[in-house]
Amino acid sequence: MEYRFYGWEAASCAPSDAAFAKIRDPRALYDLLCGIWCADTCAPRMRQDWTPENRTLGQCSITAFLAQDIFGGKVYGIPREGGNFHCYNVVGDCVFDLTSEQFGDEKLCYEGNPEQSREVHFAKEEKRLRYEYLKAELLKALR
């Protein structure tokens, strides 16, 4: 498979949770999520623009926190307009953004960004529910 997400070349961290041992690295997680991301997992404010061709649109925070569940590390956010953040993962020296493709050719800065808290993000019930759905579908795919 051809990968286009940020950091794919060095995305070699292994799962820190044995429940996800079948997912060898972030590229393998991306492969699985490509069959799971959908309009229902997309942020509601972006849902009208979601397409299978732009499947990572509106998926960043729920995907980054799911990747954190699997690989550990921290979630950081790139400030965006409207006070929003685009979330990505840092595990040791490994920096990856499974949903960066949604920005096309736009270059994002992955340095000096604030750490993100799942408590803040999941205070929005719709986001927590999308995360839970994404995680449940991933677990089904692993069976």
Side-chain angles (χ1 to χ4, degrees), residues 67-137:
Q68 183 184 46
D69 291 345
I70 297 166
F71 303 109
K74 295 183 178 185
V75 174
Y76 289 92
I78 299 168
R80 304 294 293 169
E81 62 184 52
N84 295 308
F85 289 90
H86 173 68
C87 295
Y88 64 96
N89 297 83
V90 177
V91 181
D93 292 337
C94 182
V95 178
F96 61 95
D97 180 354
L98 296 177
T99 65
S100 62
E101 292 173 85
Q102 67 184 296
F103 297 104
D105 293 332
E106 181 181 345
K107 298 291 182 210
L108 300 175
C109 177
Y110 292 93
E111 296 177 7
N113 295 306
E115 187 173 351
Q116 300 297 293
S117 157
R118 70 178 58 219
E119 291 77 23
V120 170
H121 280 268
F122 295 162
K124 295 178 184 171
E125 184 179 19
E126 65 79 17
K127 191 178 286 191
R128 181 184 54 77
L129 292 173
R130 288 187 296 116
Y131 159 81
E132 289 173 358
Y133 175 77
L134 186 67
K135 189 170 186 173
E137 291 299 307

Side-chain angles (χ1 to χ4, degrees), residues 28-59:
L29 175 59
Y30 177 89
D31 292 344
L32 289 165
L33 291 175
C34 281
I36 299 171
W37 284 316
C38 62
D40 290 337
T41 57
C42 180
R45 64 186 165 78
M46 301 173 164
R47 201 165 279 160
Q48 73 280 357
D49 297 323
W50 188 90
T51 64
E53 293 76 34
N54 192 5
R55 63 184 162 245
T56 64
L57 179 70
Q59 312 283 345

